[in-house]
PDB file of all heavy atoms in Angstrom:
ATOM      1  N   MET A   1      -5.159  33.241 -42.059  1.00 48.00           N
ATOM      2  CA  MET A   1      -4.236  32.154 -41.645  1.00 48.00           C
ATOM      3  C   MET A   1      -3.455  31.683 -42.866  1.00 48.00           C
ATOM      4  O   MET A   1      -4.002  31.031 -43.746  1.00 48.00           O
ATOM      5  CB  MET A   1      -5.007  30.989 -41.042  1.00 48.00           C
ATOM      6  CG  MET A   1      -4.127  29.888 -40.518  1.00 48.00           C
ATOM      7  SD  MET A   1      -5.054  28.691 -39.511  1.00 48.00           S
ATOM      8  CE  MET A   1      -6.411  28.231 -40.581  1.00 48.00           C
ATOM      9  N   GLN A   7       2.211  22.897 -46.423  1.00 81.00           N
ATOM     10  CA  GLN A   7       0.764  22.776 -46.328  1.00 81.00           C
ATOM     11  C   GLN A   7       0.111  22.941 -47.703  1.00 81.00           C
ATOM     12  O   GLN A   7      -0.885  22.277 -48.010  1.00 81.00           O
ATOM     13  CB  GLN A   7       0.207  23.796 -45.332  1.00 81.00           C
ATOM     14  CG  GLN A   7       0.535  23.458 -43.882  1.00 81.00           C
ATOM     15  CD  GLN A   7       0.120  24.558 -42.933  1.00 81.00           C
ATOM     16  OE1 GLN A   7       0.302  25.743 -43.222  1.00 81.00           O
ATOM     17  NE2 GLN A   7      -0.446  24.171 -41.803  1.00 81.00           N
ATOM     18  N   LEU A 238      -0.683  17.882 -43.548  1.00 78.00           N
ATOM     19  CA  LEU A 238      -1.845  18.610 -43.069  1.00 78.00           C
ATOM     20  C   LEU A 238      -2.413  17.958 -41.823  1.00 78.00           C
ATOM     21  O   LEU A 238      -2.258  16.752 -41.613  1.00 78.00           O
ATOM     22  CB  LEU A 238      -2.942  18.653 -44.158  1.00 78.00           C
ATOM     23  CG  LEU A 238      -2.629  19.328 -45.467  1.00 78.00           C
ATOM     24  CD1 LEU A 238      -3.778  19.114 -46.443  1.00 78.00           C
ATOM     25  CD2 LEU A 238      -2.374  20.815 -45.268  1.00 78.00           C
ATOM     26  N   GLN A 239      -3.087  18.754 -41.003  1.00 69.00           N
ATOM     27  CA  GLN A 239      -3.839  18.197 -39.895  1.00 69.00           C
ATOM     28  C   GLN A 239      -5.034  17.410 -40.470  1.00 69.00           C
ATOM     29  O   GLN A 239      -5.556  17.725 -41.530  1.00 69.00           O
ATOM     30  CB  GLN A 239      -4.357  19.299 -38.973  1.00 69.00           C
ATOM     31  CG  GLN A 239      -3.243  20.106 -38.302  1.00 69.00           C
ATOM     32  CD  GLN A 239      -3.794  21.229 -37.441  1.00 69.00           C
ATOM     33  OE1 GLN A 239      -4.984  21.279 -37.166  1.00 69.00           O
ATOM     34  NE2 GLN A 239      -2.916  22.117 -37.017  1.00 69.00           N
ATOM     35  N   LEU A 240      -5.455  16.381 -39.734  1.00 61.00           N
ATOM     36  CA  LEU A 240      -6.561  15.555 -40.215  1.00 61.00           C
ATOM     37  C   LEU A 240      -7.843  16.377 -40.363  1.00 61.00           C
ATOM     38  O   LEU A 240      -8.654  16.141 -41.250  1.00 61.00           O
ATOM     39  CB  LEU A 240      -6.803  14.377 -39.275  1.00 61.00           C
ATOM     40  CG  LEU A 240      -5.755  13.258 -39.345  1.00 61.00           C
ATOM     41  CD1 LEU A 240      -6.098  12.162 -38.354  1.00 61.00           C
ATOM     42  CD2 LEU A 240      -5.662  12.681 -40.746  1.00 61.00           C
ATOM     43  N   SER A 241      -8.031  17.354 -39.463  1.00 59.00           N
ATOM     44  CA  SER A 241      -9.211  18.202 -39.570  1.00 59.00           C
ATOM     45  C   SER A 241      -9.198  18.994 -40.868  1.00 59.00           C
ATOM     46  O   SER A 241     -10.223  19.242 -41.481  1.00 59.00           O
ATOM     47  CB  SER A 241      -9.306  19.134 -38.365  1.00 59.00           C
ATOM     48  OG  SER A 241      -8.112  19.893 -38.234  1.00 59.00           O
ATOM     49  N   THR A 242      -8.007  19.410 -41.299  1.00 70.00           N
ATOM     50  CA  THR A 242      -7.885  20.118 -42.575  1.00 70.00           C
ATOM     51  C   THR A 242      -8.136  19.174 -43.733  1.00 70.00           C
ATOM     52  O   THR A 242      -8.806  19.533 -44.705  1.00 70.00           O
ATOM     53  CB  THR A 242      -6.492  20.748 -42.707  1.00 70.00           C
ATOM     54  OG1 THR A 242      -6.214  21.552 -41.556  1.00 70.00           O
ATOM     55  CG2 THR A 242      -6.397  21.611 -43.949  1.00 70.00           C
ATOM     56  N   ALA A 288     -16.175  22.073 -37.737  1.00 83.00           N
ATOM     57  CA  ALA A 288     -14.765  21.707 -37.891  1.00 83.00           C
ATOM     58  C   ALA A 288     -13.905  22.939 -38.130  1.00 83.00           C
ATOM     59  O   ALA A 288     -12.789  23.051 -37.596  1.00 83.00           O
ATOM     60  CB  ALA A 288     -14.615  20.721 -39.059  1.00 83.00           C
ATOM     61  N   TYR A 289     -14.422  23.897 -38.902  1.00 83.00           N
ATOM     62  CA  TYR A 289     -13.659  25.119 -39.175  1.00 83.00           C
ATOM     63  C   TYR A 289     -13.471  25.946 -37.897  1.00 83.00           C
ATOM     64  O   TYR A 289     -12.364  26.431 -37.613  1.00 83.00           O
ATOM     65  CB  TYR A 289     -14.396  25.944 -40.235  1.00 83.00           C
ATOM     66  CG  TYR A 289     -13.754  27.290 -40.488  1.00 83.00           C
ATOM     67  CD1 TYR A 289     -12.575  27.393 -41.225  1.00 83.00           C
ATOM     68  CD2 TYR A 289     -14.340  28.458 -40.006  1.00 83.00           C
ATOM     69  CE1 TYR A 289     -11.970  28.622 -41.447  1.00 83.00           C
ATOM     70  CE2 TYR A 289     -13.743  29.697 -40.219  1.00 83.00           C
ATOM     71  CZ  TYR A 289     -12.571  29.774 -40.955  1.00 83.00           C
ATOM     72  OH  TYR A 289     -11.979  30.987 -41.180  1.00 83.00           O
ATOM     73  N   LEU A 290     -14.541  26.077 -37.108  1.00 85.00           N
ATOM     74  CA  LEU A 290     -14.442  26.838 -35.873  1.00 85.00           C
ATOM     75  C   LEU A 290     -13.486  26.171 -34.881  1.00 85.00           C
ATOM     76  O   LEU A 290     -12.701  26.844 -34.206  1.00 85.00           O
ATOM     77  CB  LEU A 290     -15.829  26.975 -35.238  1.00 85.00           C
ATOM     78  CG  LEU A 290     -16.835  27.843 -36.024  1.00 85.00           C
ATOM     79  CD1 LEU A 290     -18.208  27.784 -35.356  1.00 85.00           C
ATOM     80  CD2 LEU A 290     -16.335  29.263 -36.153  1.00 85.00           C
ATOM     81  N   ALA A 291     -13.536  24.819 -34.827  1.00 80.00           N
ATOM     82  CA  ALA A 291     -12.624  24.099 -33.941  1.00 80.00           C
ATOM     83  C   ALA A 291     -11.177  24.248 -34.394  1.00 80.00           C
ATOM     84  O   ALA A 291     -10.271  24.365 -33.572  1.00 80.00           O
ATOM     85  CB  ALA A 291     -13.013  22.609 -33.897  1.00 80.00           C
ATOM     86  N   LEU A 292     -10.968  24.265 -35.720  1.00 73.00           N
ATOM     87  CA  LEU A 292      -9.630  24.421 -36.270  1.00 73.00           C
ATOM     88  C   LEU A 292      -9.064  25.803 -35.943  1.00 73.00           C
ATOM     89  O   LEU A 292      -7.880  25.951 -35.632  1.00 73.00           O
ATOM     90  CB  LEU A 292      -9.651  24.207 -37.781  1.00 73.00           C
ATOM     91  CG  LEU A 292      -8.322  24.247 -38.521  1.00 73.00           C
ATOM     92  CD1 LEU A 292      -7.407  23.137 -38.027  1.00 73.00           C
ATOM     93  CD2 LEU A 292      -8.528  24.149 -40.021  1.00 73.00           C
ATOM     94  N   ARG A 293      -9.932  26.822 -35.985  1.00 78.00           N
ATOM     95  CA  ARG A 293      -9.479  28.189 -35.676  1.00 78.00           C
ATOM     96  C   ARG A 293      -9.053  28.337 -34.213  1.00 78.00           C
ATOM     97  O   ARG A 293      -8.157  29.104 -33.904  1.00 78.00           O
ATOM     98  CB  ARG A 293     -10.603  29.172 -35.981  1.00 78.00           C
ATOM     99  CG  ARG A 293     -10.909  29.355 -37.442  1.00 78.00           C
ATOM    100  CD  ARG A 293      -9.797  30.114 -38.161  1.00 78.00           C
ATOM    101  NE  ARG A 293      -9.611  31.437 -37.576  1.00 78.00           N
ATOM    102  CZ  ARG A 293     -10.233  32.532 -37.995  1.00 78.00           C
ATOM    103  NH1 ARG A 293     -11.092  32.456 -39.007  1.00 78.00           N
ATOM    104  NH2 ARG A 293      -9.998  33.705 -37.454  1.00 78.00           N
ATOM    105  N   LYS A 294      -9.704  27.557 -33.344  1.00 76.00           N
ATOM    106  CA  LYS A 294      -9.397  27.649 -31.902  1.00 76.00           C
ATOM    107  C   LYS A 294      -8.159  26.834 -31.525  1.00 76.00           C
ATOM    108  O   LYS A 294      -7.525  27.084 -30.509  1.00 76.00           O
ATOM    109  CB  LYS A 294     -10.575  27.145 -31.070  1.00 76.00           C
ATOM    110  CG  LYS A 294     -11.814  28.011 -31.175  1.00 76.00           C
ATOM    111  CD  LYS A 294     -12.953  27.416 -30.374  1.00 76.00           C
ATOM    112  CE  LYS A 294     -14.213  28.269 -30.475  1.00 76.00           C
ATOM    113  NZ  LYS A 294     -15.347  27.685 -29.714  1.00 76.00           N
ATOM    114  N   ARG A 295      -7.795  25.859 -32.366  1.00 65.00           N
ATOM    115  CA  ARG A 295      -6.706  24.939 -32.039  1.00 65.00           C
ATOM    116  C   ARG A 295      -5.375  25.605 -32.274  1.00 65.00           C
ATOM    117  O   ARG A 295      -5.172  26.265 -33.293  1.00 65.00           O
ATOM    118  CB  ARG A 295      -6.831  23.665 -32.894  1.00 65.00           C
ATOM    119  CG  ARG A 295      -5.821  22.569 -32.533  1.00 65.00           C
ATOM    120  CD  ARG A 295      -6.037  21.369 -33.437  1.00 65.00           C
ATOM    121  NE  ARG A 295      -7.410  20.892 -33.321  1.00 65.00           N
ATOM    122  CZ  ARG A 295      -7.931  19.972 -34.131  1.00 65.00           C
ATOM    123  NH1 ARG A 295      -7.209  19.483 -35.126  1.00 65.00           N
ATOM    124  NH2 ARG A 295      -9.154  19.561 -33.967  1.00 65.00           N
ATOM    125  N   PRO A 296      -4.386  25.406 -31.364  1.00 58.00           N
ATOM    126  CA  PRO A 296      -3.048  25.962 -31.602  1.00 58.00           C
ATOM    127  C   PRO A 296      -2.406  25.303 -32.813  1.00 58.00           C
ATOM    128  O   PRO A 296      -2.660  24.131 -33.104  1.00 58.00           O
ATOM    129  CB  PRO A 296      -2.287  25.618 -30.307  1.00 58.00           C
ATOM    130  CG  PRO A 296      -3.048  24.487 -29.691  1.00 58.00           C
ATOM    131  CD  PRO A 296      -4.482  24.722 -30.065  1.00 58.00           C
ATOM    132  N   ALA A 297      -1.626  26.058 -33.515  1.00 53.00           N
ATOM    133  CA  ALA A 297      -0.996  25.564 -34.734  1.00 53.00           C
ATOM    134  C   ALA A 297      -0.077  24.410 -34.438  1.00 53.00           C
ATOM    135  O   ALA A 297       0.675  24.404 -33.459  1.00 53.00           O
ATOM    136  CB  ALA A 297      -0.218  26.687 -35.442  1.00 53.00           C
ATOM    137  N   VAL A 298      -0.142  23.377 -35.313  1.00 49.00           N
ATOM    138  CA  VAL A 298       0.752  22.215 -35.233  1.00 49.00           C
ATOM    139  C   VAL A 298       1.664  22.228 -36.411  1.00 49.00           C
ATOM    140  O   VAL A 298       1.231  22.371 -37.558  1.00 49.00           O
ATOM    141  CB  VAL A 298      -0.078  20.892 -35.191  1.00 49.00           C
ATOM    142  CG1 VAL A 298       0.872  19.696 -35.182  1.00 49.00           C
ATOM    143  CG2 VAL A 298      -0.983  20.873 -34.000  1.00 49.00           C
ATOM    144  N   GLN A 299       2.953  22.111 -36.177  1.00 49.00           N
ATOM    145  CA  GLN A 299       3.920  22.159 -37.250  1.00 49.00           C
ATOM    146  C   GLN A 299       3.789  20.922 -38.123  1.00 49.00           C
ATOM    147  O   GLN A 299       3.920  19.797 -37.647  1.00 49.00           O
ATOM    148  CB  GLN A 299       5.335  22.212 -36.681  1.00 49.00           C
ATOM    149  CG  GLN A 299       6.412  22.555 -37.722  1.00 49.00           C
ATOM    150  CD  GLN A 299       6.264  23.990 -38.215  1.00 49.00           C
ATOM    151  OE1 GLN A 299       5.730  24.825 -37.512  1.00 49.00           O
ATOM    152  NE2 GLN A 299       6.721  24.263 -39.423  1.00 49.00           N
ATOM    153  N   PRO A 300       3.499  21.074 -39.428  1.00 46.00           N
ATOM    154  CA  PRO A 300       3.373  19.910 -40.300  1.00 46.00           C
ATOM    155  C   PRO A 300       4.688  19.257 -40.596  1.00 46.00           C
ATOM    156  O   PRO A 300       5.760  19.867 -40.451  1.00 46.00           O
ATOM    157  CB  PRO A 300       2.764  20.514 -41.583  1.00 46.00           C
ATOM    158  CG  PRO A 300       3.259  21.936 -41.587  1.00 46.00           C
ATOM    159  CD  PRO A 300       3.314  22.330 -40.137  1.00 46.00           C
TER     160      PRO A 300
END
Side-chain angles (χ1 to χ4, degrees):
M1 183 168 53
Q7 289 173 318
L238 298 174
Q239 297 178 12
L240 287 179
S241 55
T242 307
Y289 175 75
L290 293 175
L292 184 63
R293 290 290 300 269
K294 293 178 181 179
R295 186 180 303 170
V298 177
Q299 192 68 25

